[in-house]
Amino acid sequence: MNDTKITIIVSSRSKVDEKQDFIKNIDETCGVEHRLIFITNNGHSLTQVYNNILPMVSTEIVVFLHDDIEFLKHGWGEEVVRLFKENQEYGIIGVAGSAEFDEKGAWWQYKNIYGQVMHKNNGKVWLSAFSPLLDEDLKEVCVIDGVFMAIHTKRIVENFDNNLEGFHMYDIEFCLSNFLSRQVKIGVTTNIRLAHYSIGQLSDQWFVNKDYVTEKFKNNYPIRV
């Protein structure tokens, strides 16, 4: 009998033996039976990696993680399972996101944003509080940040768009495609606490991918919950 509750997918430029502390943190804090798929990615886009691996996943719940995070609270995997069980209209759950989106393209620049992420960088620690702690399990949004993205494979209706190269905007396009189907709700929770060791930078590829997303969804802008 397979008791695995969730599959965790990590695409990294590093080799698995270079990320043992990261993997140990996941194993010690998840709180449910899980399978971790760690992929050393030598230049493939995240959309291609994720689309290629999803058909091989046996669990209904999949969590995509960046490789530079640390979970600060035990039981986050158990919480993901509970959230999907108790909110069956939701197909995508994250820890930060926006309830509006348009051609600006940067989800954190909008007014109706939610979630909290601790940041650690160059010896400094600070909290990015996009909203106060939520007094509800999930706040509905239209996009989330891909640093932590949990999906229920039986509830999403669109896959990742392989036309997006690199590592930017894959999360936004995936969320918008599913949100605009009117069949998938997307939520942010503050019940899962994590630290991110990257502060994020807008590279040339980010702007290229933003233009692609804008062209794809321009007839839907502005998008709001």
Side-chain angles (χ1 to χ4, degrees):
M1 181 178 178
N2 185 358
D3 294 325
T4 304
K5 301 293 186 183
I6 65 174
T7 300
I8 301 162
I9 298 176
V10 177
S11 174
S12 174
R13 294 186 179 92
S14 302
K15 296 179 179 179
V16 66
D17 58 359
E18 298 172 327
K19 286 290 185 178
Q20 288 305 302
D21 289 343
F22 166 72
I23 293 171
K24 182 180 179 182
N25 174 254
I26 291 174
D27 289 339
E28 290 181 345
T29 61
C30 183
V32 295
E33 289 296 321
H34 59 278
R35 177 191 180 196
L36 172 61
I37 301 176
F38 187 98
I39 301 162
T40 298
N41 182 359
N42 295 315
H44 296 288
S45 69
L46 280 183
T47 57
Q48 293 173 328
V49 171
Y50 289 170
N51 280 336
N52 288 343
I53 200 69
L54 275 175
M56 295 180 264
V57 170
S58 60
T59 61
E60 293 184 343
I61 297 175
V62 176
V63 182
F64 300 98
L65 298 178
H66 286 191
D67 70 346
D68 56 353
I69 68 169
E70 174 190 357
F71 287 102
L72 305 175
K73 183 179 177 182
H74 185 272
W76 62 267
E78 186 177 17
E79 181 66 9
V80 168
V81 172
R82 183 188 73 82
L83 289 172
F84 277 126
K85 182 178 180 180
E86 296 182 5
N87 301 274
Q88 297 197 12
E89 68 275 29
Y90 281 82
I92 304 171
I93 294 173
V95 295
S98 173
E100 55 186 315
F101 198 82
D102 58 22
E103 63 276 354
K104 287 198 293 291
W107 68 263
W108 57 91
Q109 294 182 353
Y110 297 97
K111 179 180 179 181
N112 296 312
I113 55 177
Y114 304 96
Q116 295 191 358
V117 176
M118 188 76 71
H119 280 92
K120 297 182 179 182
N121 189 265
N122 291 330
K124 297 180 180 179
V125 180
W126 69 96
L127 177 67
S128 294
F130 306 107
S131 71
L133 290 173
L134 299 173
D135 56 7
E136 53 195 315
D137 278 341
L138 293 172
K139 184 70 176 179
E140 187 179 3
V141 296
C142 59
V143 294
I144 61 167
D145 190 280
V147 64
F148 176 101
M149 183 162 57
I151 70 170
H152 195 292
T153 60
K154 302 297 185 183
R155 300 178 191 171
I156 61 169
V157 296
E158 299 290 344
N159 290 329
F160 296 91
D161 186 338
N162 283 333
N163 291 311
L164 284 170
E165 299 290 338
F167 309 97
H168 297 291
M169 301 298 288
Y170 68 94
D171 43 2
I172 300 301
E173 189 285 327
F174 177 72
C175 286
L176 292 180
S177 290
N178 280 279
F179 177 80
L180 291 171
S181 74
R182 306 304 177 192
Q183 300 178 60
V184 184
K185 280 192 172 183
I186 303 170
V188 163
T189 183
T190 52
N191 297 345
I192 296 168
R193 313 297 291 173
L194 59 83
H196 194 198
Y197 286 86
S198 170
I199 57 175
Q201 294 178 330
L202 301 185
S203 66
D204 290 344
Q205 188 66 54
W206 186 90
F207 288 98
V208 170
N209 287 3
K210 181 187 81 73
D211 289 344
Y212 175 84
V213 169
T214 295
E215 181 64 26
K216 183 170 184 175
F217 297 107
K218 64 182 181 182
N219 292 334
N220 300 103
Y221 287 165
I223 299 170
R224 296 189 178 95
V225 172

